[in-house]
Amino acid sequence: MRKKILGIIAARYSSTRFPGKPLADINGKPMIQHVYERAMKAKSLCGVLIATDDERIFNAAKNFGAEAVMTDSDLPNGTSRCEQAAKFYNENVDAVINIQGDEPLLDPLMIDEVADLLKDSYCATLCSELKEDFENPNIVKVVMSQENFALYFSRSPIPYKRNKNNIKIFQHIGIYGYSLEFLEKYVKLPPAPLSETESLEQLKILENGYKIKIKETGSKIKSLGVDTPEDLEKVREFIKNAAV
């Protein structure tokens, strides 16, 4: 039976590097609206929900016609926000796809790719080949097994190329799929030292002995996540000059 999958965009106002980021204007629309409109084009979702802890984001979402819920402000990360939001949704679902609220160039194909991985896995994500900017700590790198399970994620360049072979280096794309059962289990997992050291919540899954299915996306749209005001300017220019 086909799984019923809910897309959840977790968005908070507070940010160390870029406060108010979800409401940043991109060519006449707040960034969160760009993400929402792209997510709504995915074929695999039964609905899209914005989960936030801030009334400004909640009201903005309502203004452009999105379904939104208020979640607790003290939740540790976006995944926990998604788990709580799923409980507020008015329909029962089998799985959740956590969509990052700072990916205004999101390709709906990526959502459908994660949904496809969830057919036979409880946790899934995506990656793409990284050809430059290997040292940038804001770009998370990932290595995977031959069975397409994630082995490790890092802000450092991995793998280290001691031998000059042609192995690809992959950038993690921050979109996650979870079965609802595993999502409820995930939020109860204890803190994990590697996860806290790298400040990467997905490492907690690996450190606790669970697997993350991963595949290289087929999307041709360049991923331009917004971590800083400088990133925002790049996205504005990209959207202004390209039909995406």
Side-chain angles (χ1 to χ4, degrees):
M1 186 174 68
R2 185 175 181 269
K3 287 185 177 179
K4 196 170 186 180
I5 302 174
L6 174 66
I8 300 181
I9 304 170
R12 64 190 186 93
Y13 193 89
S14 300
S15 171
T16 303
R17 289 174 292 185
F18 195 168
K21 181 169 61 172
L23 298 182
D25 180 81
I26 300 177
N27 301 18
K29 297 179 183 178
M31 179 161 60
I32 191 71
Q33 184 174 352
H34 285 273
V35 179
Y36 174 80
E37 290 176 351
R38 290 177 179 276
M40 286 292 288
K41 294 179 180 179
K43 300 174 182 177
S44 54
L45 301 179
C46 65
V48 177
L49 184 65
I50 293 175
T52 185
D53 62 350
D54 190 277
E55 288 188 1
R56 288 164 289 191
I57 296 174
F58 179 85
N59 291 333
K62 290 295 186 180
N63 285 339
F64 61 75
E67 187 171 0
V69 295
M70 289 288 291
T71 54
D72 294 342
S73 59
D74 58 352
L75 294 172
N77 51 48
T79 308
S80 297
R81 198 168 307 286
C82 285
E83 189 269 342
Q84 188 176 91
K87 294 177 180 176
F88 297 154
Y89 193 60
N90 58 11
E91 297 180 37
N92 292 326
V93 297
D94 303 301
V96 164
I97 293 182
N98 180 355
I99 301 163
Q100 302 299 314
D102 57 4
E103 290 280 349
L105 299 181
L106 171 72
D107 187 345
L109 170 66
M110 294 181 181
I111 296 173
D112 293 332
E113 288 175 327
V114 173
D116 189 60
L117 292 177
L118 286 173
K119 289 178 181 177
D120 57 5
S121 60
Y122 52 80
C123 183
T125 191
L126 300 175
C127 63
S128 62
E129 185 176 4
L130 181 63
K131 297 182 178 180
E132 60 185 5
D133 212 9
F134 304 112
E135 302 289 337
N136 186 343
N138 292 323
I139 298 176
V140 178
K141 279 66 71 174
V142 60
V143 289
M144 68 189 83
S145 72
Q146 294 183 13
E147 292 78 28
N148 293 317
F149 288 100
L151 295 172
Y152 193 69
F153 299 84
S154 182
R155 297 184 182 278
S156 298
I158 54 173
Y160 172 74
K161 287 192 174 185
R162 181 165 184 174
N163 297 314
K164 304 300 181 182
N165 57 17
N166 293 322
I167 191 170
K168 287 183 178 181
I169 293 180
F170 288 103
Q171 169 184 353
H172 178 227
I173 297 172
I175 179 171
Y176 302 92
Y178 307 95
S179 70
L180 193 61
E181 181 181 6
F182 180 71
L183 182 59
E184 292 170 348
K185 186 179 297 183
Y186 167 85
V187 297
K188 298 175 184 176
L189 293 176
L194 291 174
S195 176
E196 294 189 339
T197 298
E198 293 250 21
S199 189
L200 295 174
E201 61 179 279
Q202 65 269 39
L203 284 176
K204 186 167 74 167
I205 296 171
L206 301 184
E207 287 183 82
N208 280 279
Y210 295 98
K211 292 184 176 183
I212 303 175
K213 192 77 171 181
I214 187 168
K215 69 167 283 187
E216 183 177 2
T217 181
S219 172
K220 303 303 180 185
I221 295 178
K222 182 176 175 59
S223 177
L224 285 173
V226 177
D227 290 306
T228 65
E230 291 74 23
D231 294 334
L232 180 66
E233 289 305 317
K234 292 178 184 178
V235 170
R236 282 172 173 162
E237 281 300 309
F238 191 89
I239 292 179
K240 180 180 178 181
N241 297 319
V244 295

